[in-house]
Amino acid sequence: MFNVLKNQSSIRNKLIIRNNAYITSRLSFKWLNYSRVNTFSTHNNPLCASEVGSISPEVGSISSEVGSISTDSPLHYGKFYFDNIYPIKIGSFDIRHRFVRSNRSILEYKIKSGKWIPQESTMPYEFKVESIEPRKKEGGMFVNFSFRSDPKLKESALEEIETHIKDHLTENKLVPWFNFQPNKAYIVEGEPFIEDLVQRYPASRLRVEFKGPDIQIESLFYTFRKYGLIRDITLQESAKEPPRFAMIIYSSMRSAASARNCVHGKIINSTKLNIFYEQPLKSNLIYNWMVAHPRISVPLIAAIVAGVSYIIFDPIRVFFIESKITQRFNPQEYRIYQWLKRQAFERILYWNKLSYDPLADISTWKEREQEEQKLRNWLKEPPETFIILMGPPGTGKSRFIEKVTQDKKNKIVIKCDEILNSHTENEFILKLAKQVGYFPVFSILISMSNLIDGLAGAMIGNKTLGFTSSSDSEIKKILDTLAIALHDLAPPNSITRKHQKKSNKSAEPQFIESYDPANIPIVVIDSFMTKDTTERDEIWNHLAKLAALLVDNGVAHVVFVSSNVGIVKSLSKVFPNRTFNYCNLTDAPTERAVNLVKTNVDGHNIEELEEQVKVLGGRVTDLRVFINKIRSGQTPQDALNDLITKANIEIRKIGFGDDTDDAKTIPWKGIQFWKVMKELVQNDHVSYDAIKFSAFFNGDDTAIRAMEEAELITILQLSGRPDQIQPGKPLYKAAFAQIRSDSLFAATMELQTAQFMLSFETAKITKCEEELEKLGQLFVKQEGKWLLGGGHVPASVDERVKFLLARLQKHHTSAEKWQMEVDRLKKAVISGSV
């Protein structure tokens, strides 16, 4: 123990001797300059005036101080600011400090281990680090330390400590990763304001407030220059109320942070300095200008949004649509997938059996080979007109066109039935965009745009500002982008040839490089106008206009797939003076239907199968249900009866309505459908014109077209015009007969029919009587002579009267017959015995 104390005393004496030698040299230098400086100049003194004791100028006093630096010297405390420890946080969005370790123990270890400052054993004046205070927001930290020195030589001690630390940093050249600038350290000369205000961030501009007399720019420069390069110093103009202040602008934000932390609270010539950050720009200048000038800013924002969408998003959308058309990202189009499918998937018979659809080969029927070849030939030719694939529902039109176009490289399919099964406008737009590959799509803006436009209009006074985006405009935008993508994919020579044909009909033909029409893109619009959607009729108009644009410019073939014959009239409006190419699909023939059922119900109840299939017909959807029922254990007759009963319920509900209120919403009268149904029960086909010009329709086919849209009947075409009417599907003929066999319901409908015909004949009689009455007014009442022609009745008038009397007799006879029928049917309906 004695040896340890002896060694410590020896080390302490050596430090005192070295300190005394340094202090002697410093005091001698200050004694020689005492005649020029009585007190320490502030701009030459890096220490706080409050922390530095005055040094007596008397020589005797100085010589006595040198000898007094010993173990009895008092303990002093100070701090220095260590810069470049963290990234400076310039705003709430700045997250760089999250990637820097901020553990206080790690910082203390780096300080005391001699990495950032010399080790305590090599520092003079018994230097010792007491604690640290990290300043993450300002990118540095305070280091609190203690040392021993004579109070009158405290300034010299601090200067030497600062010199040792700066020399250490210069020798080691410590550079952090986040700004590649060396670390710096400064003695704190004032009383730093340590705050944690959330919304106050460092800046390169400092506001230096004076608590006392003003300080000249020269003094400010000498005080603040050592922390970094200063761009400018400005004093506040004359003001009536304090505080007075100066604005100091540094070239670096770190220099400003160091100056604020070291000089804040310093006293210069009895003036205390309070320093705050001043942001270089006033907050929200742009926002304030926009709010102050809404008539300019709001339309400008709309123009910017539209411009950004056109410049940035439109090319992206065209790219994704082209990828959808060419199947660029579809793995099934790659050779490796096709090889795996041939070599592995298709050889697993069990999987094939499970996924086998008994009617999947509908497109391979020999009965449809002629229609298939005709469609393929049209697709090999340059596009000149629309291709319309028609047929009753359930005849496999979608699968048929899929087979024909499966080898085509560039194709796009728009399934209207899936799009129309949307509950909201946003869902409607999203489904359409997904089918054509339109991405990105901001459907939420459709519902928000009207609100934004209303608020902006109320703010500046204009009714519309261009923010409104309806579903109609979004549909048009999607289809326009689709047209651009198809134009880019179409063979250039096909478009050139089309334009040359339109512009130079009489000029000599120019040579154009040949091209393969098979490379022309194909657009398939499936289920076109198959549903009565009065709320979204704009989709039909936009699709028809798109098709006309593509075909007219030779960009793509357009194939319309529909079961509605009324599409011809709609398409003729957008593409007039053109004849369309028709391809009609019918139900399977009876022999084909019987073979299909026998093939797929082998081993099940197949007695009398042919008779049931003949009644069922060749509708694919009905055959599939029929086969499944037989496979589940039902007999063919029971399965057929179930299907007929279901069809009976459908027809009653759709054709006649569940009740009186429901019947009022049907676009035809019950007796009109009853008339058509009775004729179809007796005949397989009924003449379209015979029904149209009957007394029930009187030449107006609106109700007939409505029945076809409801899929109750099918209208067959002949040379592009309606020719025959048949049931909506073959099963309906048996359902019609079952409804007709319901005696009470039939009596009710016949009663309504008789009443209608009675009123019809009565109206004819009334019309004849009114005309005869007008003719009779031309007779003289007393003499019974005709007023004109010398009292004789003209021959033409006499013939007209005879004709009216004959018609009157005929209608009267018919009215009597219908009246008797009404009376009979009323009694039967009332009694319930028909």
Side-chain angles (χ1 to χ4, degrees):
M1 179 64 71
F2 176 80
N3 292 332
V4 173
L5 295 176
K6 183 178 180 181
N7 291 334
Q8 291 180 352
S9 176
S10 176
I11 294 173
R12 186 178 187 84
N13 291 335
K14 291 180 181 179
L15 291 175
I16 292 174
I17 293 171
R18 189 180 66 174
N19 292 341
N20 290 341
Y22 174 78
I23 293 172
T24 303
S25 62
R26 295 289 295 173
L27 291 177
S28 300
F29 173 77
K30 293 186 179 295
W31 169 249
L32 293 175
N33 290 280
Y34 175 73
S35 59
R36 290 194 300 114
V37 183
N38 291 329
T39 58
F40 292 108
S41 175
T42 305
H43 59 269
N44 290 328
N45 179 19
L47 302 177
C48 177
S50 62
E51 295 182 0
V52 180
S54 61
I55 298 178
S56 176
E58 289 83 9
V59 178
S61 177
I62 293 175
S63 51
S64 64
E65 294 290 344
V66 175
S68 64
I69 303 298
S70 63
T71 56
D72 298 331
S73 298
L75 185 65
H76 300 281
Y77 295 94
K79 62 175 61 178
F80 64 84
Y81 180 74
F82 209 97
D83 188 21
N84 223 13
I85 303 300
Y86 308 103
I88 291 182
K89 190 171 184 179
I90 59 177
S92 58
F93 58 86
D94 191 353
I95 60 171
R96 292 177 299 168
H97 65 282
R98 297 183 181 273
F99 302 100
V100 180
R101 291 185 297 178
S102 60
N103 193 334
R104 185 185 295 267
S105 61
I106 295 177
L107 298 178
E108 290 180 351
Y109 170 76
K110 290 182 178 181
I111 289 291
K112 295 181 178 181
S113 64
K115 182 177 181 180
W116 284 345
I117 64 174
Q119 292 185 353
E120 295 178 355
S121 60
T122 63
M123 292 288 287
Y125 304 105
E126 299 185 19
F127 176 87
K128 181 181 180 182
V129 176
E130 299 292 342
S131 63
I132 63 170
E133 298 179 38
R135 299 293 297 154
K136 295 182 64 175
K137 184 168 63 174
E138 294 170 312
M141 67 176 176
F142 290 107
V143 178
N144 300 314
F145 63 92
S146 62
F147 65 98
R148 291 183 181 274
S149 71
D150 190 282
K152 297 180 179 181
L153 302 177
K154 184 178 180 182
E155 175 190 359
S156 300
L158 289 172
E159 285 183 358
E160 186 175 358
I161 291 173
E162 183 180 19
T163 302
H164 276 70
I165 295 175
K166 288 184 177 180
D167 292 342
H168 179 81
L169 293 175
T170 303
E171 293 175 359
N172 290 273
K173 296 181 180 179
L174 300 176
V175 178
W177 62 267
F178 45 81
N179 66 356
F180 303 104
Q181 297 294 326
N183 295 105
K184 296 180 182 180
Y186 305 97
I187 293 294
V188 176
E189 304 175 14
E191 298 176 357
F193 174 37
I194 301 176
E195 43 80 16
D196 59 351
L197 300 175
V198 177
Q199 292 297 328
R200 181 172 295 182
Y201 300 100
S204 60
R205 298 163 62 98
L206 296 179
R207 177 188 175 98
V208 183
E209 295 183 355
F210 306 140
K211 298 295 184 179
D214 291 352
I215 301 177
Q216 298 302 317
I217 293 180
E218 293 82 357
S219 299
L220 292 173
F221 175 79
Y222 289 122
T223 302
F224 287 90
R225 174 61 183 84
K226 63 180 177 180
Y227 301 104
L229 184 62
I230 298 176
R231 290 185 177 181
D232 191 16
I233 300 177
T234 57
L235 291 175
Q236 180 193 23
E237 297 180 358
S238 59
K240 296 181 180 180
E241 297 181 358
R244 298 269 297 158
F245 66 87
M247 193 68 67
I248 302 177
I249 304 175
Y250 277 93
S251 61
S252 171
M253 192 179 297
R254 286 195 174 274
S255 299
S258 299
R260 179 181 182 273
N261 284 299
C262 293
V263 185
H264 182 88
K266 181 178 180 179
I267 299 176
I268 302 177
N269 297 334
S270 71
T271 299
K272 185 178 181 181
L273 304 181
N274 291 337
I275 306 175
F276 305 96
Y277 294 117
E278 186 79 9
Q279 296 299 327
L281 291 177
K282 297 296 182 181
S283 60
N284 298 327
L285 285 178
I286 298 177
Y287 173 78
N288 293 335
W289 182 88
M290 292 173 60
V291 173
H293 304 82
R295 293 181 180 273
I296 300 175
S297 59
V298 175
L300 183 62
I301 292 174
I304 292 174
V305 171
V308 169
S309 176
Y310 178 78
I311 296 173
I312 298 178
F313 293 114
D314 280 9
I316 297 175
R317 290 162 177 164
V318 171
F319 169 78
F320 279 106
I321 291 177
E322 291 179 355
S323 301
K324 178 76 173 182
I325 296 172
T326 59
Q327 301 294 310
R328 182 177 297 157
F329 302 121
N330 186 3
Q332 298 181 4
E333 296 295 324
Y334 293 96
R335 293 182 179 179
I336 182 65
Y337 177 86
Q338 296 174 358
W339 180 84
L340 288 174
K341 182 179 180 181
R342 291 193 303 270
Q343 300 298 326
F345 302 151
E346 293 181 355
R347 295 187 179 185
I348 303 177
L349 300 179
Y350 179 72
W351 287 5
N352 287 339
K353 184 177 181 180
L354 289 180
S355 60
Y356 176 69
D357 185 356
L359 301 178
D361 60 344
I362 183 174
S363 57
T364 62
W365 294 351
K366 292 183 179 180
E367 294 81 3
R368 297 186 173 182
E369 290 181 353
Q370 183 178 358
E371 299 296 328
E372 178 182 345
Q373 187 61 40
K374 182 168 62 174
L375 185 57
R376 291 184 182 276
N377 293 335
W378 287 336
L379 294 177
K380 292 180 181 179
E381 300 173 356
E384 297 289 342
T385 185
F386 297 153
I387 300 175
I388 301 178
L389 178 60
M390 302 185 66
T395 52
K397 298 183 292 297
S398 299
R399 188 168 296 176
F400 180 79
I401 190 64
E402 181 181 353
K403 178 192 175 185
V404 174
T405 61
Q406 65 181 354
D407 296 331
K408 299 296 181 180
K409 182 179 180 181
N410 300 330
K411 61 183 177 181
I412 190 74
V413 180
I414 301 176
K415 298 182 179 181
C416 301
D417 53 345
E418 295 181 2
I419 298 174
L420 294 174
N421 291 330
S422 304
H423 303 288
T424 61
E425 291 185 354
N426 289 345
E427 184 181 359
F428 183 85
I429 298 299
L430 286 175
K431 287 184 177 180
L432 176 61
K434 182 179 180 181
Q435 289 192 8
V436 302
Y438 184 87
F439 178 84
V441 55
F442 307 106
S443 60
I444 190 64
L445 296 179
I446 300 175
S447 57
M448 294 181 59
S449 59
N450 294 331
L451 176 61
I452 297 174
D453 197 64
L455 294 176
M459 184 171 60
I460 69 173
N462 293 343
K463 292 184 178 179
T464 58
L465 298 172
F467 288 107
T468 303
S469 179
S470 61
S471 59
D472 183 75
S473 62
E474 289 296 322
I475 293 172
K476 187 176 184 303
K477 187 186 301 183
I478 293 174
L479 296 182
D480 288 346
T481 309
L482 174 61
I484 294 173
L486 289 169
H487 182 274
D488 294 342
L489 292 174
N493 296 327
S494 68
I495 302 174
T496 305
R497 187 186 298 272
K498 188 76 175 180
H499 284 292
Q500 182 186 11
K501 183 178 179 181
K502 293 170 62 179
S503 58
N504 300 324
K505 293 183 179 180
S506 60
E508 295 182 0
Q510 300 178 1
F511 174 76
I512 299 177
E513 185 180 354
S514 62
Y515 67 96
D516 186 5
N519 294 329
I520 297 178
I522 300 174
V523 179
V524 178
I525 304 178
D526 197 359
S527 303
F528 183 74
M529 293 186 69
T530 54
K531 291 187 177 182
D532 184 15
T533 54
T534 55
E535 297 180 355
R536 290 172 177 164
D537 285 340
E538 68 273 5
I539 184 64
W540 310 130
N541 298 329
H542 287 303
L543 289 174
K545 292 178 181 178
L546 171 68
L549 177 66
L550 297 177
V551 173
D552 193 40
N553 291 276
V555 174
H557 288 287
V558 180
V559 182
F560 289 95
V561 181
S562 178
S563 58
N564 182 8
V565 297
I567 67 170
V568 178
K569 183 177 181 181
S570 299
L571 295 178
S572 299
K573 295 179 181 179
V574 297
F575 216 27
N577 303 324
R578 295 289 182 95
T579 57
F580 305 143
N581 294 328
Y582 296 94
C583 184
N584 294 310
L585 298 183
T586 58
D587 295 324
T590 303
E591 296 79 6
R592 168 71 64 177
V594 172
N595 291 334
L596 284 173
V597 174
K598 286 183 177 181
T599 303
N600 292 282
V601 298
D602 188 22
H604 296 78
N605 303 310
I606 58 174
E607 296 82 3
E608 301 179 358
L609 188 62
E610 294 186 6
E611 295 298 329
Q612 281 77 21
V613 174
K614 288 181 181 179
V615 176
L616 182 63
R619 186 61 52 87
V620 175
T621 52
D622 294 337
L623 289 174
R624 184 178 289 109
V625 177
F626 183 71
I627 291 172
N628 292 333
K629 285 181 176 293
I630 295 177
R631 283 180 172 180
S632 64
Q634 289 185 344
T635 63
Q637 187 61 44
D638 292 340
L640 178 62
N641 292 336
D642 288 347
L643 292 174
I644 294 175
T645 302
K646 182 180 178 181
N648 188 338
I649 297 173
E650 292 178 356
I651 294 170
R652 287 179 181 272
K653 179 176 177 142
I654 300 174
F656 301 102
D658 292 333
D659 50 30
T660 305
D661 295 335
D662 194 15
K664 293 179 181 179
T665 61
I666 300 176
W668 60 81
K669 296 179 181 179
I671 56 174
Q672 290 178 320
F673 180 64
W674 177 255
K675 169 66 177 177
V676 176
M677 193 185 72
K678 284 197 306 179
E679 295 293 336
L680 291 176
V681 169
Q682 300 174 0
N683 306 283
D684 294 335
H685 300 86
V686 180
S687 172
Y688 180 87
D689 294 330
I691 294 296
K692 177 180 178 181
F693 293 100
S694 64
F696 298 93
F697 296 91
N698 199 22
D700 186 7
D701 62 348
T702 303
I704 302 176
R705 297 290 184 181
M707 295 177 193
E708 184 193 27
E709 290 180 1
E711 300 180 3
L712 292 173
I713 62 173
T714 299
I715 301 176
L716 303 180
Q717 300 284 324
L718 178 63
S719 300
R721 68 172 181 84
D723 180 57
Q724 297 289 328
I725 297 176
Q726 68 179 16
K729 49 185 176 180
L731 182 63
Y732 278 179
K733 183 176 179 61
F736 289 164
Q738 189 180 69
I739 295 174
R740 180 70 179 82
S741 63
D742 186 350
S743 58
L744 183 58
F745 179 77
T748 303
M749 296 307 302
E750 290 295 339
L751 175 60
Q752 295 180 16
T753 302
Q755 290 175 340
F756 173 80
M757 294 304 300
L758 177 60
S759 62
F760 177 80
E761 297 295 341
T762 303
K764 295 291 186 180
I765 293 172
T766 302
K767 188 175 180 180
C768 292
E769 289 176 346
E770 289 177 352
E771 187 173 354
L772 288 172
E773 184 179 359
K774 291 180 180 179
L775 293 175
Q777 292 176 356
L778 298 177
F779 285 92
V780 179
K781 294 182 179 181
Q782 295 180 356
E783 300 179 359
K785 296 181 179 180
W786 190 257
L787 295 179
L788 302 175
H792 300 286
V793 178
S796 58
V797 175
D798 184 55
E799 291 295 330
R800 180 63 180 171
V801 170
K802 291 179 180 179
F803 173 79
L804 290 175
L805 291 175
R807 296 290 298 175
L808 183 62
Q809 180 62 35
K810 179 181 177 181
H811 290 307
H812 180 71
T813 303
S814 180
E816 287 183 344
K817 183 187 70 172
W818 286 116
Q819 184 61 55
M820 294 174 60
E821 186 71 9
V822 168
D823 295 340
R824 183 185 68 82
L825 291 171
K826 279 186 177 180
K827 293 180 181 179
V829 171
I830 293 173
S831 62
S833 58
V834 181

